[in-house]
Amino acid sequence: MTDDALPDLRASDADRERVAEILRDALAEGRLDMAEFEERLDATYQARTYGELAPITRDLPAAGVTVPAVSLTKDPAAGPDWSGRITGGAGSSTWAVAVMSGFQRKGHWTMPRRFTCFAFWGGGEIDLREANFADREVEINAIAIMGGVDVIVPPGVEVVVRGIGIMGGFDHREEGVPGEPGAPRVVVTGFAFWGGVGVQRKLTRAEKLRIREERRQEKLERRAGRRELDGER
C-alpha cells in the first residue's frame, strides 16, 4: 500500500529522515536552491502524517532512482530526400523568352541540365522549390536586358553565381551557403544590361504551414507542461 493511500497515517522519524535525505540530494544536484531547501526541510520536520510529507518531494526523484537524461540540443529536422529529386533524363523545359511580357517555370517540373532564358522589357520567374533536377549540377543561363529574372531555390541547395552585369547586376547573397548532402548545385550564369537577375531562397507554402503547425504544437505542449507543474505545486 502506498503512502498516498494512507494520507492520515502518522509518519515516523525515519520517514522524515528519508524525505530530508532526498532534499539534501536535490540541493547538491542543483534541483533546489538554498531557500527552497530550507523551506521544505522545515516542512519535513514539522510534518506529522504521510499526507503532509508526500507533497514535499513530489517533483523530485527519489533516492536511487535514475533520472532520464535530458538533451539540451534540438535534433535537426529530417531534410528532403534529394536522391528522389535528381531524376536524370531531359528537363520539362529548356528555354523561355519574355519580350515586353513574362514567363514562369514553377510547381512540379524538371529542371534540365541547362536552362536558357531571355527577358527584354519583361520578367521571368524560375522556381525550383518543388522541381526535380535532371542532374546533380544544373545551370541557368539568364540574359536580362532592361528586364529581370528571379530564381527561387529551396533551402539546402548550393548556389553559385557567375553572371556579368553592366548597369545591372546579379544577386550574390545566396552564395556561400553550404548545400545539404546529396542536394543539387545550381549555377547561375548570363548577362544583365540595365536589368537584373535575382536569387532568393524560400520555403514552399506546404513547408511554411508545417513549420507553423510544429511551433503551435510546441507552444501547446509548453503550456500544458506549465499547467501540470502548477497543479503539482
Side-chain angles (χ1 to χ4, degrees), residues 7-22:
D8 296 327
L9 188 66
R10 302 286 289 188
S12 67
D13 288 340
D15 295 326
R16 283 185 281 272
E17 280 302 322
R18 279 195 293 270
V19 172
E21 187 63 30
I22 293 174

Side-chain angles (χ1 to χ4, degrees), residues 2 5 30 41 61 101-102 111 124 155 162 174 186 189-190 199 201 224-225 227:
T2 65
L41 191 63
S101 61
M111 170 68 193
R162 297 174 180 163
E174 296 299 338
V186 178
T189 65
V199 181
R201 197 180 299 271
R227 285 197 296 268

Side-chain angles (χ1 to χ4, degrees), residues 106-158:
K106 63 188 300 185
H108 297 284
W109 68 294
T110 300
M111 170 68 193
R113 291 179 176 83
R114 180 180 172 87
F115 183 89
T116 300
C117 57
F118 175 76
F120 175 73
W121 278 16
E125 180 182 81
I126 305 168
D127 190 338
L128 301 177
R129 289 177 292 178
E130 298 180 4
N132 291 325
F133 298 82
D135 204 346
R136 173 69 175 74
E137 180 172 300
V138 296
E139 179 182 342
I140 297 173
N141 181 38
I143 301 169
I145 299 176
M146 293 182 285
V149 176
D150 289 325
V151 179
I152 303 173
V153 299
V157 170
E158 181 186 1

Side-chain angles (χ1 to χ4, degrees), residues 161-173:
V161 180
R162 297 174 180 163
I164 299 172
I166 298 176
M167 291 185 287
F170 279 72
D171 191 347
H172 290 260
R173 286 177 296 179

